[in-house]
Each structure stands twice: as C-alpha cells, then as structure tokens.
Amino acid sequence: MSYNIKQLSELAGVSIRTLHYYDQIDLLNPSRSQNGYRHYNDNDLLILQQILFFRELEFSLAEIKKIIFAPNFNRTLALTDQKKMMKIKRDRLDLLIETIDKTIKKNSNQKNMADEDLYAGLNKAELEAYAKEAQEHWGDSNAYRQSQFRVKKMGKDGLKKVLADSDKLNQQIANEMTLKRNPASPEVQALIAQHYNNLRAFYEPNLTMYRGLAQMYVGDKRFKSYYDQIADGLAQFMCEAMNIYCDK
C-alpha cells in the first residue's frame, strides 16, 4: 500500500515537517509522482519504524543513518537488539521509580519547605510564567507532580543555581541571535539541546511537551515579555529553534 505524506504523518504520528527533513538529509527518501508528490511504500514504512525505534533509544539521526544504510544491516537483528535495549531501559526506569518511592517514604517524616520558599530568587514574571505553565498545561499530571517534588528536594540553594544556569543559557542563546545565527544552525541547536535537558531539573520532558512550551513563548504574553526583555525578538527566535529541535 502507498501513502502520501499527510497519510503517513497521521499514521505514524510524525509531523510532515519532520518527514520533509528526513527526505532532505537522505534518511527517508520516498518515490515521487510526476507532479512531485511523495509516496511512501511498505519498505519506506519499515525504514521509518526503524528511525523511530532508534530515536526512542536516543540515537542521533547521523547514527541512525549510518546503521540502517550499512551494507550488512539486518532489520530482524536490529529489531531484536532494539527489544533488548528497550527492556534494559524499562528495567532502569523501574529501578528509578523504586528509588523515588523509597526517597518519598524517607522524606515523608522530614519537614517540608514552605511553598513560598520554593521560589526564592525568582522575579515575579518568572514565577507567574512557571505557575501558569504548570497549572494550565500539566494540571495534576505526572510532570506537574515531578516538578513539585523536584523543586522541594533541590531546596533554596539548588533552585537558585538552576535558575542562574537558566539565565546564563538564555543569554547565550540571545547572543547567538544577535550574531544573526539561523535557529537551525549547529551553534543554536547545541544550546537548545542543553535547554531541553535543563528541563529535567523540574520534570522529564518529551518532544510534544517541548513543542507546546515553544508555542507558549510566543503565544503567552508573560512568557513573551520575559524573554523579549532579555533581547528583543528572543521569544520568537526560541520558539523557532525549539520547533526545529523537535523536528530533528
């Protein structure tokens, strides 16, 4: 069966922009009709499945390309190895969850920080933006619970350091924008990767959540005002760079 790009996007849960990018870097090259439209056959679907499995295991696109186009690549063996690696990843997550449960029990008898102390050092704009993101986009979700627990656990000094590192990174991104860097440039994308990883101080992010956060940078007045105070146009620049990161 053949799929056009819109159909495959809906089937696999991958954005059309991402499929365009995979074609651009010669990672997934479908056939083209006379009018130039892409058509994906059964083999293309299996290649995309491999890409998504390897991405789930945190392989870079360059690594994936090298693996799946190697002369000795065997799809069945690859699936077997992926299954083993995912089981290892699952076991590691189970262990981390167990460790968290034990830590929660240990901390349950200790005095918690007052809520107002959790945000010492944040200015009002930062606090409002953080609270709005948590309440409107997470509600009672696991990410929101993670953020509450992790902020309490890091304490005043830990939170102060995380915020200072965040300020420094924001300024570095602003500097790249001032130098007229393209949001897709390696320099900017390296900083955006760090920005994504820094979110783990509060919760475990995913690309869907990160894309939503990017939209808030331009769609929410508080976010936009905060970042544009660092450098005019930074909110839009960050949004574009974050979306490009999600599409890779």
Side-chain angles (χ1 to χ4, degrees):
M1 183 174 179
S2 177
Y3 293 85
N4 62 35
I5 194 166
K6 184 176 184 297
Q7 291 170 330
L8 182 58
S9 173
E10 294 173 351
L11 177 69
V14 177
S15 71
I16 291 176
R17 186 174 180 179
T18 296
L19 293 173
H20 282 165
Y21 183 71
Y22 289 169
D23 192 2
Q24 178 185 338
I25 64 173
D26 294 325
L27 184 58
L28 180 61
N29 296 128
S31 61
R32 299 273 189 142
S33 63
Q34 290 184 347
N35 56 15
Y37 291 123
R38 295 173 175 85
H39 290 279
Y40 297 84
N41 59 28
D42 290 342
N43 187 59
D44 294 325
L45 267 62
L46 290 172
I47 292 175
L48 178 59
Q49 184 194 59
Q50 280 295 305
I51 294 170
L52 297 179
F53 281 157
F54 277 120
R55 288 295 282 165
E56 183 66 29
L57 292 166
E58 300 181 4
F59 282 71
S60 70
L61 293 180
E63 290 171 329
I64 296 170
K65 186 175 180 180
K66 184 177 180 180
I67 292 170
I68 66 177
F69 290 115
N72 60 345
F73 177 71
N74 183 299
R75 187 171 290 145
T76 301
L77 291 178
L79 288 167
T80 301
D81 288 340
Q82 288 161 350
K83 182 179 179 180
K84 290 178 182 177
M85 287 187 284
M86 287 184 183
K87 283 185 175 180
I88 292 171
K89 183 176 181 180
R90 181 187 64 189
D91 291 343
R92 178 176 174 274
L93 289 173
D94 286 342
L95 180 59
L96 287 172
I97 291 170
E98 182 181 346
T99 301
I100 288 172
D101 287 339
K102 290 179 179 178
T103 306
I104 291 173
K105 289 179 181 179
K106 179 180 178 181
N107 290 343
S108 62
N109 295 324
Q110 297 178 2
K111 184 178 179 181
N112 291 327
M113 293 173 61
D115 287 344
E116 57 268 27
D117 289 338
L118 298 178
Y119 304 102
L122 280 77
N123 62 39
K124 186 176 180 181
E126 288 176 302
L127 175 56
E128 289 178 346
Y130 179 78
K132 183 177 178 64
E133 176 192 2
Q135 292 171 3
E136 293 187 1
H137 288 259
W138 298 340
D140 293 326
S141 71
N142 187 48
Y144 184 36
R145 290 192 294 272
Q146 284 179 5
S147 70
Q148 289 181 309
F149 176 76
R150 293 183 186 186
V151 170
K152 286 185 178 182
K153 188 175 180 181
M154 71 176 69
K156 283 185 180 180
D157 292 340
L159 181 59
K160 186 176 181 179
K161 182 180 184 305
V162 168
L163 294 174
D165 290 342
S166 177
D167 288 342
K168 181 179 178 181
L169 181 60
N170 289 337
Q171 189 59 59
Q172 289 176 313
I173 297 172
N175 292 343
E176 294 297 324
M177 181 188 71
T178 303
L179 292 172
K180 306 298 183 183
R181 299 278 195 201
N182 189 299
S185 69
E187 294 85 357
V188 173
Q189 285 301 302
L191 293 173
I192 292 298
Q194 186 178 341
H195 180 265
Y196 179 86
N197 288 325
N198 284 357
L199 293 176
R200 291 192 169 96
F202 298 102
Y203 57 90
E204 287 302 315
N206 58 55
L207 295 181
T208 300
M209 187 183 296
Y210 197 55
R211 196 184 297 277
L213 182 61
Q215 187 56 41
M216 287 186 69
Y217 281 16
V218 293
D220 186 292
K221 291 182 180 179
R222 293 171 183 174
F223 270 82
K224 190 174 188 303
S225 174
Y226 173 70
Y227 284 96
D228 284 350
Q229 283 179 7
I230 299 173
D232 188 38
L234 181 60
Q236 181 63 41
F237 185 83
M238 288 278 291
C239 177
E240 292 177 12
M242 290 163 71
N243 275 307
I244 291 169
Y245 178 84
C246 291
D247 288 339
K248 286 186 176 180

